[in-house]
Amino acid sequence: MPIRTIFHVDMDAFFVSVEELFDPSLKGKPVVVGGRANERGVVSAASYAARKYGVHSAMPLRRAYQLCPKAVFLPGHPSRYRDYSGKVHEVLKKFSPRVEMASIDEAYLEMTGTERLLGPPLAAGQLLHDAIAAETKLPCSIGIGTSRLVAKICSAMSKPHGMLCVTPGAEAAFLAPLDIRKIPGVGKVTEKGFRERGIHKIGQLSELGEAYLEKTWGKLGLALAGKAQGLDAGAWFQGEIGAVEYPKSISHETTFSQDTADVKRLESTLAKLSQMVGRRLRGHGLYGRTIQIKLRYSDFSTFTRAHSLDEATQLDTVILETVQKLFRRNWKQPRPIRLLGVHVAGLEESPGQLDLIEEDRKRRWGQALRAVDTLRDRFGEGSVGLASAIGHGRQERVHENPAGLPGHGGDKDE
DNA sequence: TCTGGGGTCCTAGGACCC
DNA sequence: TCTGGGGTCCTAGGACCC
């Protein structure tokens, strides 16, 4: 397998940069996008001038105001951001046929094999940097590596408006002195867990070894062992860049500007959220089977309650009916509510129950297995194997699945 | 410091089935 | 008589990302 070259392109303070395009007077000023200073909400993006005051994304707006009262607070323009995200995407597609927008403001490019056309990675990166600046007037940073993980860490470290490349083979040595928090997937909680055990640097993770990490941290530990070597380990970064995927869930939620126990208000909110979810399901041509509500009370305690339907749906009415039942059963009236949410998962491309042929196959497969079990009970474990396993020698575990028969399905990643 | 909204993935217990 | 051993599905909660 060839050594891959992957670019990670990350727009700098994206929402703020777009706002500056429409109002150049904002340039250089502390700007906070996310809402008004006295609203319930958090910072979506902060300009570098605002960051100097300690303002950063995900910070409550009221806190940002305390830190920097003279900042310009903007609610933002989501449609503009989508628009400019699209423009960036267009530029990226000129550099590689395999582009994956990882979010509205970042993307991965599979650049393996583009050398003859675009030159070595750093030269291609420079061209891309220039092209994005020329065609969108927006600043970005570019990370280059042999995995998504390394490319992403590089783009973060080269901000703002920079570029960083780790050459093949240098990954582990490059990562070793970095703080564990730089690893995507290591957040506050994981960070604390490791710090309490004296683990601060990625190199220390490597020294712990894969076996130990997996034993004590499970899948997370196993993934970290790989990531410390610069590999796209774990479920998160798997798969080809640019592979098309369906959403796995669709949801909408809203936080009231003031907590409320008004039944009319709550129920009409649930109706609206259900409609929004239904509309998006239909937009994707998907049907959902598991309907979930989310309640958050004044003290921020949060509950989810779910119900799975027999048949997947994309109808507002069915969603709302389920949502209402869940709500009436679970709201501790009259506790005021801060947030309501409607969530649909178990998404399928068709509404139907399993079709009848599939159902029948499943039944007969079950019967066949039971017959095998009976024979084994009577004559011993080695007496019966499935046709496809016979002649292959040992067969203490037979997991072959003759074509067409419904199997366990579980051919997930990893 | 009074904490958004839209997602993905993981864990864990219990039901249920063979 | 101190209790199987898979497997899947469902539900709830939580970490994490942008």
Side-chain angles (χ1 to χ4, degrees), chain A residues 1-9 96 98-100 107-115 121-122 124-125 128 141-155 163-168 171 230-232 237-242:
Chain A
M1 125 177 40
I3 292 169
R4 297 206 293 164
T5 303
I6 293 169
F7 283 15
H8 182 250
V9 179
S96 169
R98 277 172 291 170
V99 175
E100 183 172 314
Y108 293 95
L109 279 74
E110 180 64 73
M111 294 296 287
T112 310
T114 64
E115 285 225 5
L122 274 175
L128 178 54
S141 298
I142 300 177
I144 304 174
T146 56
S147 63
R148 300 196 206 212
L149 178 96
V150 171
K152 184 167 172 61
I153 291 175
C154 283
S155 70
M163 183 161 61
L164 185 59
C165 175
V166 170
T167 52
E171 295 85 358
L231 303 172
D232 287 335
F237 279 135
Q238 292 307 313
E240 202 181 317
I241 288 172

Side-chain angles (χ1 to χ4, degrees), chain A residues 259-301:
Chain A
D259 302 349
T260 179
D262 178 343
V263 184
K264 284 242 168 64
R265 176 118 188 263
L266 292 168
E267 300 219 335
S268 76
T269 300
L270 288 172
K272 193 160 170 195
L273 292 169
S274 299
Q275 280 170 25
M276 291 166 72
V277 167
R279 193 160 51 101
R280 299 227 356 251
L281 278 171
R282 293 187 294 279
H284 286 284
L286 292 171
Y287 301 75
R289 217 165 72 72
T290 304
I291 316 288
Q292 183 181 272
I293 62 161
K294 181 157 144 184
L295 301 178
R296 176 171 290 156
Y297 295 108
S298 306
D299 63 358
F300 221 72
S301 60

Side-chain angles (χ1 to χ4, degrees), chain A residues 191-332:
Chain A
E191 176 191 19
K192 183 162 176 278
F194 278 103
R195 290 217 194 287
E196 283 168 358
R197 290 161 180 76
I199 308 297
H200 304 278
K201 304 292 179 190
I202 298 178
Q204 291 179 283
L205 280 179
S206 300
E207 287 164 20
L208 289 177
E210 185 178 285
Y212 172 82
L213 283 170
E214 184 176 16
K215 194 175 63 192
T216 53
W217 293 86
K219 278 197 178 188
L220 172 69
L222 184 61
L224 286 177
K227 288 179 182 183
Q229 305 305 308
L231 303 172
D232 287 335
W236 196 355
F237 279 135
Q238 292 307 313
E240 202 181 317
I241 288 172
V244 217
E245 288 196 350
Y246 289 102
K248 304 210 161 70
S249 66
I250 289 174
S251 67
H252 284 284
E253 61 184 54
T254 185
T255 295
F256 297 105
S257 51
Q258 273 161 24
D259 302 349
T260 179
D262 178 343
V263 184
K264 284 242 168 64
R265 176 118 188 263
L266 292 168
E267 300 219 335
S268 76
T269 300
L270 288 172
K272 193 160 170 195
L273 292 169
S274 299
Q275 280 170 25
M276 291 166 72
V277 167
R279 193 160 51 101
R280 299 227 356 251
L281 278 171
R282 293 187 294 279
H284 286 284
L286 292 171
Y287 301 75
R289 217 165 72 72
T290 304
I291 316 288
Q292 183 181 272
I293 62 161
K294 181 157 144 184
L295 301 178
R296 176 171 290 156
Y297 295 108
S298 306
D299 63 358
F300 221 72
S301 60
T302 307
F303 302 86
T304 61
R305 290 294 179 267
H307 175 75
S308 290
L309 305 166
D310 290 333
E311 290 184 27
T313 188
Q314 58 177 190
L315 298 176
D316 302 352
T317 51
V318 178
I319 297 170
L320 179 56
E321 221 176 290
T322 313
V323 160
Q324 278 170 337
K325 272 185 207 151
L326 288 167
F327 179 67
R328 287 169 190 157
R329 272 208 290 269
N330 291 287
W331 174 32
K332 298 183 185 67

Side-chain angles (χ1 to χ4, degrees), chain A residues 342-358:
Chain A
V342 171
H343 177 107
V344 176
L347 304 188
E348 303 169 2
E349 289 175 67
S350 67
Q353 65 282 47
L354 317 161
D355 62 277
L356 296 176
I357 294 170
E358 199 61 20

